[in-house]
Amino acid sequence: RLCYCTSTWSSCGRLFKLWDFVFLIQMAVACRLLQQRQAVRRILIVDWDVHHGNGTQQIFYDDRSVLYLSIHRHDEGNFFPGTGAPGECGAGSGLGYNVNIAWSGGLQPPLGDAEYLAAFRTVVMPIARDYAPEIILVSAGFDAASGHPAPLGGYNVTPACFAYMTQQLMQIADGKVILSLEGGYDLTAICDSAEECVRALLEDDVTPIVQPELHRTPCQNAIKTLQKTIAIQLPHWPVLKKLAHTVSCSAVEATLCEENETVSAMASLSMTRHRIQSSEPSEEP
């Protein structure tokens, strides 16, 4: 499961334009190679770099065999590169296969683990499971991590949260997850975050997310973003309806809510079975 994606030169013209702070979009190259050489039919790209992957989105915008899902700072188009609005959902046969969780509201307050946990719980994982990819490619930029000044990110996502998100994705696609190191401009943040993600890939113990973040509810700006994202993507992904009501919950509250719903469902099923059995005519002696 421990994979490192290197840059591979090919003649795929659109892959080399100046997008995403880079000359070469290595995840797009890897994706095309998987399609051409391995005949992979469903690929999920998760991009958690704080900057929207505009090049990756454009390359696969009309391709339903690649689901591109980005979590990024957007601020109504005022944060670089300005693309990746929630309404950008794909085109043609790829409509619905482009998902943007576009955080807005600036740094009032800076987003952190609680907001990213809510995004994974209510949007990323439900869609990913429903899509059932054969492999997952992660554009693992760590510029949403603490330590980056406002112009480059300004968020407070911890290495523990990046590890958790990696573990979550490993539950899908038989654990076939490839992380490619991308954005990140603070050496300590990059090293700590990358180390935790590698530990997750190796199935070693990782640093747990601190309790205050597990108990903290997402900020109002994040809640609005997630609600807007779900509303836009619901026609394409009806599965989002199931957990939409937990958008404003903390991770702990959401877990308790799911447990209570499971218990209630089991109790209802038991009562239904009892009614059916009671209504059946008894056999004559």
Side-chain angles (χ1 to χ4, degrees), residues 11-74:
S11 59
C12 301
R14 285 198 296 169
L15 306 184
F16 301 96
K17 293 186 179 179
L18 183 55
W19 281 316
D20 299 323
F21 275 170
V22 297
F23 285 99
L24 175 65
I25 306 172
Q26 50 192 25
M27 270 311 181
V29 174
C31 192
R32 286 301 189 216
L33 289 174
L34 285 168
Q35 291 176 318
Q36 295 169 8
R37 299 185 183 180
Q38 303 297 327
V40 178
R41 295 171 298 175
R42 293 186 312 281
I43 301 172
L44 169 62
I45 298 178
V46 175
D47 186 345
W48 63 48
D49 190 291
V50 79
H51 302 95
H52 178 244
N54 50 347
T56 309
Q57 171 175 293
Q58 184 169 338
I59 290 165
F60 302 109
Y61 206 60
D62 58 357
D63 185 352
R64 67 182 301 146
S65 68
V66 179
L67 169 59
Y68 178 65
L69 201 159
S70 178
I71 312 174
H72 54 273
R73 184 177 169 187
H74 186 249

Side-chain angles (χ1 to χ4, degrees), residues 89-141:
C89 300
S93 63
L95 183 62
Y97 293 87
N98 196 89
V99 181
N100 285 312
I101 301 175
W103 302 124
S104 285
L107 302 177
Q108 304 298 324
L111 272 58
D113 292 1
E115 288 76 25
Y116 276 69
L117 292 175
F120 251 67
R121 179 181 69 249
T122 61
V123 179
V124 178
M125 293 305 292
I127 290 178
R129 290 194 180 97
D130 203 36
Y131 184 61
E134 297 172 64
I135 191 167
I136 300 173
L137 309 180
V138 181
S139 292

